[in-house]
């Protein structure tokens, strides 16, 4: 297991509803290592999106602890979380969520603006580099509505990586794409993983995650233990293979 | 960083072109109104303050009627009046009509000669000033000075000659040389109580003016006192002194505190009121901005969440969305200030003659510009604070999760009660939808209510004023009033006119002056002076609407007074009671013989009775009228036809050596109607602006409603709702808002009309609020709400199930 980036202890999230308390996460314990690529799968209402919200500090747990890169996001103030999120987390949404009145380049520059990093020229240069990396540089001056779904999602990934986050999360990042585009987006995630980026995605589409090294099943508010074991075995195999290769 | 935010702000403003245009237009109209009206007011009052010097203004002005043919010792009269208690200075002035023309012109123009008893350089009360060129005229040299505006209008200068028509003189006119151009900042009034136009004012020495105008006496006496309270206290003793020490008859007077000149305060009051309307329009524009920003923030909820997820703080979002509001402000303010400044200057120039001043050249009001800029930027910003503050409070979770309408919706007591009402489902849905967004609804509703109330209040008030003023003129059975410069033998003049002027049906005697009525306080002047009209009840010159008593029905020569209803009510007098009048220092008790319905407080008497009371007699001591009331053969003449008769009348009288002032009653009625229409139009424009802003607000609210309920529309469509059903729901919503706003606006309209009447100090009997305004307001409201609802309704009706639900 690589050095853990994320540590989750006894994570519980319960919503109060007119019909009574609804427990969406029921005591999850897990660790995510640096450079890992994890896919969370499971049925609708299984708590996948809630889990991601806990991970990114968008929502707070009812109990338990979430520590990301040494920061306890479950107790940090909202103001600090905003700054922390700007520099440490990249989020990719299902519906891309690009700002429609800004150009593709400006969309990618925006997180750097908010994080107040780099000067204007550096932001622009870095945004262009990211767009080139994801093969959408030729669309830089267009507004998002002129791009295909796959292109928009690649721009969204570029935007999510603008501040070199330690953790990239995707909430159904291919849920609004056709298979071809979805495959391209996952290729991008694999490349990122290969470059050492930690990636966590949630999806209900098992087909697209068949090549993801670690696939966890989230059901009824708990991570399926068999999937955790399988993940551990798979990781061990990969580490052994790596050591053998090194020899 | 700042540049990125501004890029988003500008792109968002551009992306929502129609809504941005609405907000910017509303701000533009508000700023335009504020700057135009404030500029005009500021320029006019500044000019008046600059022109009217406190130390030059009289504290009391008494308009007098001079006896005809008398040998007057004006110097002695002024000396005697100067001895009156508290008086520090008395000056005599004559303002008389004088026909003039340029050499070569065929016809004479109407003009006025203004002359002071004192030499030009010794005049201390309301002095004229040499306007750079020439000198004052000298006596006996056929020299005259003219007002600079008359010179400008006719291209005249020093050394030019004009022809003046003197009573009994050459019908072609005598040549007089212009020696100087004069600026006369103070208003002057003719014997017929009309303001003398500056561009027809000529000045001569008193002796020359007497020859030119065919008079010997003064038309106005000005007095200054040790202080203004003394002037108020000693006003009556000055009147008594005029009666005892001079042969003049005091016709009317006014007392005015030079430190708070009526002319300045009146102008400030009128323009201030107009400015208030401008500011209200601006505030209403702010309400629209609240609505639009609210809708933008609502629409952009998800974008706000995305930006927060990218690291934007609440402040970052606040700057962006408040920046959008400020951008609306900038877009509306810049043209509003530029055009408003220009229109304000034009408006000041257009109103200067009415408000008895003169604005020359193009001037800017820095205070109006500053106010416009501050309001244009501050109001949208302030209007945006709350919606932006609330809108940007949204968390990423709330922004990215659509939880729909809260689960307890429809469980309130109101909802349960309403559900029990047997209404069509579609109507019920419209009503409940209206109640969903109460904050936004309240703003739109408030805007519409204010607009409807202002429109109906203003409209109702002006319809009522027009109606009453029209009724007032209906009481006059004559078309022309002739006021000879000095009292003449009535029968002789009547004979002259009837014989020499075609189109004249009758010439009747008349007296118009003010007397003191004990226990009466004039609502307009706060004094006990009451305007009296003496006429011949046997003739048709007055057609009073007698509502109590018999007046002169049985005896046209009956002595007694007819009071207007307002005066009778104020004094609690009825026919058979007596009232005490003080005229020329003499007190007399007069029986009230009737009460008349008449718009303005007045008293009416048989003319001989009044003439004897006020001492208006001829050299034989017999009653002499101060004016002649002329009825024309044509029962419904135009202003121009009456003017033609006046020209012939003037010629006949001047040929016989009689100079006189004339009043074209039809012209006066038309001028008053135009004045009312002008002020009414300004108020109406302000009200209509508010109505338009209200309509835009409703349009914006309903558009937001369509946007927010896309899913609901899609679901309704998917279960069979047709376009008409969908459209009618939004139309019903708009109508509900509009009709409820109208209902509340009805009592408010009455209050606004009352408030405006009180602030304008309009005291006309029966003037209040014409209810027809309510129905016009209702029709207007229906039109506005239908128009404002139509766009969103059609937009909602056009949505297809697939395009709505595809991305939900």
């Amino acid at each position: 297991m690589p050095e853990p980036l994320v540590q989750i202890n006894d994570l519980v999230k319960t919503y109060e509803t007119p019909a009574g308390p609804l427990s969406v996460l029921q005591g999850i314990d897990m660790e995510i290592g640096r450079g890992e690529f994890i896919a969370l799968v499971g049925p609708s209402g299984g708590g996948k999106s809630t889990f991601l919200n806990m991970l990114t500090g968008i929502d707070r747990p009812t109990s338990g602890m979430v520590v990301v890169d040494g920061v306890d996001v479950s107790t940090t103030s909202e103001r600090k979380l905003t700054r922390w999120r700007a520099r440490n987390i990249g989020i990719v949404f299902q519906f891309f969520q690009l700002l429609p009145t800004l150009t593709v380049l400006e969309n990618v520059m925006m997180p750097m603006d908010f994080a107040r990093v780099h000067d204007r020229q550096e932001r622009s240069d870095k945004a262009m580099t990211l767009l080139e990396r994801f093969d959408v540089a030729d669309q830089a001056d267009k507004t998002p509505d002129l791009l295909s779904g796959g292109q928009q999602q690649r721009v969204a990934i570029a935007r999510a990586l603008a501040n070199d986050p330690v953790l990239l999360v995707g909430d159904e990042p291919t849920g609004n794409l056709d298979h071809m585009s979805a495959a391209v987006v996952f290729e991008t995630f694999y490349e990122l993983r290969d470059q050492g980026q930690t990636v966590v995605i949630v999806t209900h589409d098992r087909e697209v995650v068949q090549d993801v090294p670690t696939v966890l099943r989230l059901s009824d508010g708990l991570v399926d233990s068999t999937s955790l074991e399988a993940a551990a075995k798979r990781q061990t195999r990969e580490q052994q293979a790596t050591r053998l290769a090194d020899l | 960083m700042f540049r990125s935010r501004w890029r988003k702000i500008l792109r968002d403003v551009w992306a929502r072109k129609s809504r941005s245009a609405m907000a910017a237009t509303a701000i533009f109209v508000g700023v335009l109104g504020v700057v135009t009206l404030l500029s005009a007011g500021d320029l006019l009052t500044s000019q008046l303050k600059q022109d009217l010097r406190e130390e030059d203004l009289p504290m009391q002005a008494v308009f007098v009627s001079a006896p005809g043919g008398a040998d007057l010792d004006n110097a002695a009269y002024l000396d005697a009046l100067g001895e009156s208690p508290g008086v520090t200075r008395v000056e005599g002035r004559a303002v008389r009509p004088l026909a003039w023309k340029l050499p070569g012109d065929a016809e004479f123009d109407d003009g006025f000669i203004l002359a002071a008893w004192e030499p030009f350089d010794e005049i201390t009360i309301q002095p004229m000033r040499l306007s750079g060129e020439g000198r004052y005229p000298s006596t006996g040299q056929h020299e005259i000075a003219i007002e600079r505006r008359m010179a400008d209008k006719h291209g005249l200068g020093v050394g030019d000659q004009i022809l003046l028509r003197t009573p009994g003189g050459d019908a072609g006119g005598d040549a007089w040389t212009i020696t100087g151009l004069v600026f006369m900042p103070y208003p002057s009034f003719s014997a017929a109580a009309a303001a003398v136009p500056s561009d027809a004012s000529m000045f001569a020495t008193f002796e020359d003016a007497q020859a030119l105008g065919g008079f010997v006496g003064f038309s106005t006496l000005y007095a200054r006192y040790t202080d203004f309270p003394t002037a108020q206290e000693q006003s009556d003793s000055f009147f008594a002194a005029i009666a005892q020490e001079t042969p003049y008859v005091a016709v009317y007077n006014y007392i005015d505190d030079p430190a708070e000149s009526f002319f300045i305060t009146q102008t400030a009051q009128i323009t201030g009121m107009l400015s208030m309307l401008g500011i209200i329009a601006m505030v209403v524009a702010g309400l629209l901005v609240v609505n639009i920003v609210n809708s933008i923030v609502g629409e952009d909820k998800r974008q706000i969440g995305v930006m927060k997820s990218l690291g934007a703080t609440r402040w970052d979002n606040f700057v962006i969305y408040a920046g959008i509001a400020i951008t609306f402000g900038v877009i509306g303010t810049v043209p509003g200030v530029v055009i408003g400044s220009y229109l304000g200057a034009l408006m000041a120039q257009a109103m200067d003659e009415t408000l008895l001043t003169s604005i020359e050249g193009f001037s800017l009001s820095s205070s109006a510009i500053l106010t416009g800029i501050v309001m244009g930027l501050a109001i949208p910003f302030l209007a945006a604070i709350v919606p932006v503050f609330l809108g940007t409070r949204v968390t990423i979770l709330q922004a990215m999760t659509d939880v729909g309408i809260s689960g307890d919706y429809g469980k309130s007591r109101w909802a349960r009660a309403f559900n029990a009402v047997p209404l069509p489902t579609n109507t019920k849905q419209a009503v409940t939808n209206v109640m969903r967004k109460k904050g936004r609804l309240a703003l739109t509703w408030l805007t519409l209510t204010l607009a409807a109330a202002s429109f109906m209040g203003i409209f109702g008030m002006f319809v009522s004023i027009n109606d009453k003023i029209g009724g007032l003129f209906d009481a006059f059975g004559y078309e022309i009033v002739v006021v000879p410069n000095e009292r003449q033998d009535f029968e002789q003049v009547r004979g002259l006119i009837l014989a020499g002027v075609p189109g004249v049906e009758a010439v009747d005697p008349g007296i118009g002056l003010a007397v003191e009525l004990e226990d009466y306080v004039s609502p307009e002047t706060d004094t006990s002076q009451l305007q009296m009209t003496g006429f011949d009840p046997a003739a048709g010159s007055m057609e009073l609407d007698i509502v109590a008593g018999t007046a002169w029905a049985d005896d046209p020569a009956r002595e007694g007074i007819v009071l207007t209803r307002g005066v009778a009510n104020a004094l609690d007098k009825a026919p058979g009671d007596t009232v005490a009048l003080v005229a020329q220092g003499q007190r007399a008790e007069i029986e009230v013989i009737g009460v008349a319905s008449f718009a303005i407080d007045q008293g009416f008497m048989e003319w001989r009775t009044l003439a004897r009371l006020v001492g208006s007699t001829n050299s034989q001591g017999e009653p002499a009228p101060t004016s002649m009331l002329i009825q024309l053969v044509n029962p419904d003449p135009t202003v121009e036809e009456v003017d033609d008769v006046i020209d012939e009348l003037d010629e006949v009288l001047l040929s016989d050596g009689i100079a006189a002032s004339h009043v074209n009653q039809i012209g006066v009625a038309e001028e008053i109607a135009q004045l009312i229409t002008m002020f009414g139009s300004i108020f109406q424009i302000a009200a209509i602006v508010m109505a338009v802003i209200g309509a835009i607000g409703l349009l914006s609210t309903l558009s937001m409603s369509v946007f927010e309920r896309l899913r609901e529309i899609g679901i309704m469509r998917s279960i069979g709702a047709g376009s008409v059903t969908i459209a009618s729901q939004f139309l019903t919503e708009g109508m509900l808002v509009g009709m409820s706003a109208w209902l509340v606006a009805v009592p408010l309209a009455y209050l606004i009309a009352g408030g405006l009447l009180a602030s304008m100090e309009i005291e006309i009997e029966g003037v209040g609020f014409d209810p027809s305004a309510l129905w016009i307001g209702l029709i207007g409201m229906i039109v506005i709400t239908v128009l404002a609802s139509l766009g969103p309704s059609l937009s909602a009706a056009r949505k297809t199930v697939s395009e709505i639900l595809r991305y939900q």
Side-chain angles (χ1 to χ4, degrees), chain B residues 483-497:
Chain B
V483 185
N485 283 357
E486 274 143 17
R487 290 193 292 278
Q488 305 289 328
D489 182 312
F490 172 68
E491 292 302 334
Q492 184 201 338
V493 177
R494 168 149 64 182
L496 270 175
I497 295 171

Side-chain angles (χ1 to χ4, degrees), chain B residues 493-502 504 507 652:
Chain B
V493 177
R494 168 149 64 182
L496 270 175
I497 295 171
L498 287 173
V501 184
V504 173
V507 180
V652 167

Side-chain angles (χ1 to χ4, degrees), chain B residues 365-613:
Chain B
S365 163
S366 51
S367 61
I369 291 173
L370 192 66
T371 308
I373 292 172
V374 169
M375 291 197 80
L377 299 181
I379 286 198
F381 175 70
L382 293 174
I385 284 180
V386 173
V388 170
F389 181 79
L390 296 176
T392 54
R393 200 168 55 177
V394 68
T395 64
I396 303 171
L397 190 65
Q398 289 164 334
M400 309 307 291
T401 313
D402 188 357
V403 291
I405 299 166
S406 64
D408 59 354
Y409 182 79
K411 291 179 181 168
S412 69
R413 199 173 294 171
W414 141 258
R416 285 202 303 272
F418 181 72
N419 278 334
V421 179
L423 284 173
T425 312
N426 207 32
T427 310
K428 273 189 182 178
Q429 212 172 352
V431 175
T432 48
N433 283 338
V434 163
M435 299 306 293
R436 269 191 201 176
K437 295 284 181 183
K438 294 186 183 69
R440 195 162 61 208
L441 171 77
L443 283 171
T444 306
W445 182 85
L446 189 66
T447 313
L448 279 174
T449 304
L450 275 177
S454 306
F455 177 81
M456 292 191 296
I458 293 164
F459 190 78
M461 180 189 74
F462 278 100
V463 167
S464 176
I465 291 176
N466 261 330
D467 191 36
K468 294 298 167 189
I469 296 288
L472 187 146
F473 280 94
D474 286 346
F476 301 125
Y478 51 89
E479 287 79 30
I480 301 169
V481 180
V482 178
V483 185
N485 283 357
E486 274 143 17
R487 290 193 292 278
Q488 305 289 328
D489 182 312
F490 172 68
E491 292 302 334
Q492 184 201 338
V493 177
R494 168 149 64 182
L496 270 175
I497 295 171
L498 287 173
V501 184
V504 173
E505 173 80 18
V507 180
D508 298 315
I511 297 182
L513 42 68
V515 298
E516 193 182 325
L517 175 63
E518 275 186 10
D519 300 330
Y520 170 71
V521 179
S522 164
E524 286 180 22
T525 62
D526 277 342
T527 67
S528 59
Q529 280 197 17
L530 179 70
Q531 186 64 32
M532 293 293 300
T533 298
F535 68 104
D536 182 359
S541 49
M542 290 294 293
E543 291 159 12
L544 291 176
D545 177 14
I546 303 294
V547 293
T550 56
W552 297 280
D554 303 324
D555 177 10
R558 185 181 178 189
E559 292 195 351
I561 187 169
V562 169
L563 297 174
T564 54
R565 188 155 40 194
V567 181
N569 290 343
L571 297 180
D572 195 21
K573 296 289 183 187
D577 294 340
T578 57
V579 291
L581 300 180
V582 180
Q584 303 296 297
Q586 303 295 315
R587 183 176 184 280
E589 293 207 344
I590 313 278
E591 182 192 354
V592 178
I593 58 173
V595 175
S597 169
F598 196 74
I600 299 168
D601 280 5
Q602 270 209 36
F604 298 94
M605 293 175 80
E606 194 276 329
W607 76 273
R608 288 183 195 82
T609 313
L610 184 58
R612 277 193 290 271
L613 183 74

Side-chain angles (χ1 to χ4, degrees), chain A residues 98-154:
Chain A
L98 298 174
L99 300 181
T101 55
L102 296 182
T103 63
V104 163
L105 180 68
E106 287 162 351
N107 262 284
V108 180
M109 287 168 68
M110 205 68 176
M112 293 182 266
D113 286 348
F114 289 135
R116 292 162 177 80
V117 292
H118 313 305
D119 62 25
R120 184 176 154 67
Q121 189 56 49
E122 286 169 346
R123 286 175 201 165
S124 177
D125 291 346
K126 185 168 184 188
M128 273 310 287
T129 306
L130 285 165
L131 291 174
E132 280 163 9
R133 180 173 167 191
F134 297 109
D135 204 21
V136 278
D138 54 337
Q139 311 292 328
D141 295 328
K142 292 180 181 172
T143 49
D145 58 320
L146 299 175
L147 274 60
S148 69
Q151 285 174 317
Q152 286 192 53
Q153 196 60 302
R154 276 182 280 151

Side-chain angles (χ1 to χ4, degrees), chain A residues 53 83 101 106 113 116, chain B residues 1 4 7 11-12 316:
Chain A
N53 289 340
R83 294 285 173 219
T101 55
E106 287 162 351
D113 286 348
R116 292 162 177 80
Chain B
M1 171 61 208
S4 297
R7 263 201 306 277
R11 298 261 175 77
D12 279 5
D316 290 327

Side-chain angles (χ1 to χ4, degrees), chain B residues 96-313:
Chain B
R96 304 293 188 188
L98 178 64
W100 74 280
K101 67 176 180 180
L102 297 170
D105 280 1
E107 292 188 359
F108 284 96
D109 283 335
D110 292 332
F112 287 87
I113 184 79
L114 286 78
W117 180 255
E118 297 74 23
F120 284 108
D121 51 5
E122 290 178 22
I123 298 170
T124 62
I125 301 178
Q126 296 204 169
M128 61 289 287
R129 301 165 202 159
L130 267 179
S131 184
E133 282 186 72
R135 60 175 173 79
Y136 287 119
S138 306
T139 305
Q141 304 299 313
H142 271 223
E143 290 180 348
I144 198 159
I146 63 172
E147 226 283 347
R148 69 180 187 203
R149 281 161 277 186
M150 180 174 173
D152 291 343
K153 184 176 178 184
H154 300 284
L156 292 168
V158 173
D160 289 343
Q161 287 199 325
I162 56 174
L163 299 174
L164 304 177
R165 176 80 167 94
T166 54
D170 185 348
D174 296 329
W176 287 64
T177 305
I178 298 169
T179 62
L181 304 184
V182 162
F183 174 52
M184 182 54 171
Y186 302 97
S188 302
F189 297 92
S190 73
V196 170
S198 303
D199 58 8
S201 295
M202 294 163 273
F203 303 82
T205 62
F206 202 80
E207 279 177 54
D208 279 353
Q210 283 175 314
L212 284 168
F215 65 89
V216 291
F218 302 125
S219 61
T220 315
L221 292 166
Y222 291 133
R224 279 189 72 96
Y225 292 76
T226 47
D227 52 45
F228 185 64
T230 307
Q232 289 175 301
E233 278 171 28
Q234 300 297 338
S235 171
D236 292 346
S237 59
F238 193 73
F239 263 65
I242 291 172
Q244 287 157 16
E245 306 290 343
T246 79
Y248 289 102
V249 171
V251 175
Y252 181 73
N253 83 318
Y254 72 80
I255 299 175
D256 193 26
D257 184 353
E260 294 171 19
S261 170
F262 167 76
F263 300 107
I264 296 176
T265 51
Q266 182 200 35
T267 302
Q269 204 173 19
I270 291 171
T271 54
M273 211 155 36
L274 294 174
S275 302
M276 274 309 295
L277 284 175
I279 289 168
I280 290 173
M282 188 72 234
V283 171
V284 173
L287 293 180
L288 177 66
V289 174
V290 172
N291 251 342
I292 289 181
V293 171
N294 213 358
S295 66
I296 289 173
V297 174
E299 278 176 29
D300 280 8
K301 189 171 124 182
R302 200 169 286 255
Q303 277 196 44
I304 292 169
V306 170
M307 286 191 283
K308 283 193 172 183
S309 77
L310 296 177
T313 60

